[in-house]
């Protein structure tokens, strides 16, 4: 039997039809009333504030319990079809109650009503009770453009670096796009400085030590990385964390978010940093973050562990290898699918429309459907480590504690014909 809410019952008893239902909706409702109606709450602010960054120093950030995030700033990036798909993914009912709060909530209300949602109200007590706000466990690991800009201009910021800090762009090859436009004062790291052929695994610890010294990075330097592709910066970030840099952060959404923010940019060659005399700690500082092939193999077929493929579905089922230089097709037998994107160069499954990280709840639910849970030992891999590094950084921001990266990935695994592989359509075990 379908449950009828008290509000619906009262309106029906008053003789109101569904056609006049929307007009009878209160313009504003408080959280307790929305919960009583089994309604959905949506935060319309940028994801940084939803995740936990306060909108002003010395205030509390985060979102209302169980709130979804649909930033008003995404509306111009989403067609009606894409917005409808978002609503479908989050199981929104066109006749169900929706309560909005945050920046430009009215714009989101207008757009939802255009799509046929009939019960859209405003949450009048949204963000009024700091004690009930929820946040990403380590939201500070995913910074946003204005935070960097304020830090550079010596303004007070939440979660400020404890000591020296650097902003660095990471990308493959020479800094061609960097030369044309980059974040003011940013350095540049070529990903070939941290990984090398034939398998594009991380370089030796000695080479890592030399690379860090060259860029003036010690174990206690806060490194803020960004890339034209988020996973390029994430690849460098993961390897720096392995080496023992304690505080490594990503610009959420990468260069695209800085460009969209209309903050200042620079042109020209990267600066020559003063080399660091000593890293100040033993390398590697976190060896558990990088797994070799035997360690990855040991995670297979365990209920308390997951070896997680961050590859597109066509790669996972063996339709394509995903790479021109990787010939074998298929997947590690026993690996679980962690999603990725449409092909080996995209990560749409993890991104909001502006390229920032999807909510931790969305990602956790996506993983849970494949029996990947935070209480397990989890190691991510992809073809050569870039996409898996991005998910490693997201998992750490979400507070997942026992996570790592199978550095060799499908490239290494598939090169040994003795390793078990599987192809074809399949479902979670």
């Amino acid at each position: 039997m379908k449950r009828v809410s008290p509000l619906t019952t009262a309106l029906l008893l008053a003789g109101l039809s569904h056609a006049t239902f929307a007009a009878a909706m209160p313009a504003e409702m408080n959280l307790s009333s929305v919960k009583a109606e089994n309604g959905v709450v949506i935060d319309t602010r940028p994801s940084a504030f939803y995740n936990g960054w306060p909108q002003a120093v010395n205030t509390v950030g985060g979102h209302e319990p169980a709130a979804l995030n649909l930033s008003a700033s995404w509306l111009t990036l989403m067609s009606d079809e894409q917005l409808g798909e978002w609503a479908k993914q989050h199981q929104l009912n066109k006749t169900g109650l929706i309560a909005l709060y945050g920046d430009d909530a009215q714009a989101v209300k207008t757009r939802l009503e255009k799509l046929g949602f009939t019960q859209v109200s405003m949450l009048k007590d949204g963000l009024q009770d700091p004690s009930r706000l929820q946040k990403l466990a380590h939201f500070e690991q995913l910074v946003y453009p204005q935070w960097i800009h304020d830090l550079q201009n010596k303004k007070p910021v939440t979660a400020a670096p404890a000591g020296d800090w650097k902003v660095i762009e990471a990308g493959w090859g020479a800094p061609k796009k960097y030369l044309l436009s980059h974040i003011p004062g940013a350095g540049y790291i070529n990903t070939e400085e941290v990984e090398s052929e034939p398998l594009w695994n991380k370089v030796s610890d000695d080479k890592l030590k030399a690379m860090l010294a060259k860029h003036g990075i010690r174990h206690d330097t806060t490194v803020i990385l960004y890339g034209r592709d988020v996973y390029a910066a994430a690849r460098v970030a993961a390897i720096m964390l392995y080496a023992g840099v304690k505080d490594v952060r990503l610009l959420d959404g990468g260069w695209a978010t800085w460009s969209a923010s209309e903050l200042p940019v620079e042109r020209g060659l990267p600066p020559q940093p003063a080399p660091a005399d000593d890293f100040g700690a033993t390398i590697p500082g976190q060896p558990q973050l990088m797994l070799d092939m035997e360690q990855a193999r040991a995670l297979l077929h365990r209920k308390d562990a997951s070896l997680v493929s961050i590859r597109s579905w066509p790669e996972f089922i063996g339709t394509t290898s995903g790479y021109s230089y990787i010939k074998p097709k298929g997947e590690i037998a026993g690996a679980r699918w962690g999603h990725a994107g449409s092909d080996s160069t995209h990560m749409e499954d993890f991104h909001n429309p502006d390229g920032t990280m999807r909510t931790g709840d969305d990602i956790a639910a996506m993983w849970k459907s494949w029996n990947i849970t935070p209480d397990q030992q989890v190691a991510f891999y992809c073809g050569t480590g870039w996409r898996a590094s991005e998910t490693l950084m997201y998992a750490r921001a979400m507070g997942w504690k026992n996570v790592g990266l199978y550095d060799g990935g499908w490239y290494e695994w598939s090169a040994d014909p003795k390793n078990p592989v599987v192809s074809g359509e399949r479902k979670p075990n």
Side-chain angles (χ1 to χ4, degrees), residues 3-6 32-41 96-98:
R3 181 181 181 274
V4 179
S5 73
S32 59
S33 298
V34 175
K35 285 185 175 180
E37 297 298 317
N38 295 320
V40 175
V41 175
L97 173 62
I98 298 172

Side-chain angles (χ1 to χ4, degrees), residues 122-205:
M122 297 293 176
L123 190 69
K124 64 181 178 182
D125 60 343
L127 305 175
Q128 298 302 305
D129 183 358
S131 66
R132 73 187 185 198
L133 300 184
Q134 301 177 349
K135 61 187 70 175
L136 210 58
H138 296 292
F139 66 87
E140 74 283 353
Q141 294 178 7
L142 298 173
V143 304
Y144 62 102
Q146 189 64 48
W147 182 89
I148 295 178
H149 184 65
D150 288 346
L151 179 67
Q152 291 177 323
N153 286 279
K154 297 181 172 56
K155 293 182 179 180
V157 294
T158 300
D164 292 338
W165 53 269
K166 295 178 181 292
V167 177
I168 298 176
E169 178 172 328
W172 178 69
K176 296 177 181 178
K177 294 182 179 178
Y178 172 100
L179 292 173
L180 298 175
S181 187
H182 57 262
I183 294 177
Y188 184 82
I189 288 180
N190 180 348
T191 56
E192 291 182 346
E193 296 181 64
V194 299
E195 62 176 12
S196 63
E197 295 183 281
L199 296 174
W200 296 111
N201 284 0
K202 66 172 181 60
V203 297
S204 69
D205 293 347

Side-chain angles (χ1 to χ4, degrees), residues 215-232:
H215 290 280
I217 298 170
R218 289 173 43 87
H219 74 287
D220 53 0
T221 305
T222 294
V223 182
I224 303 156
L225 290 159
Y226 75 94
R228 309 288 158 160
D229 298 304
V230 175
Y231 50 42

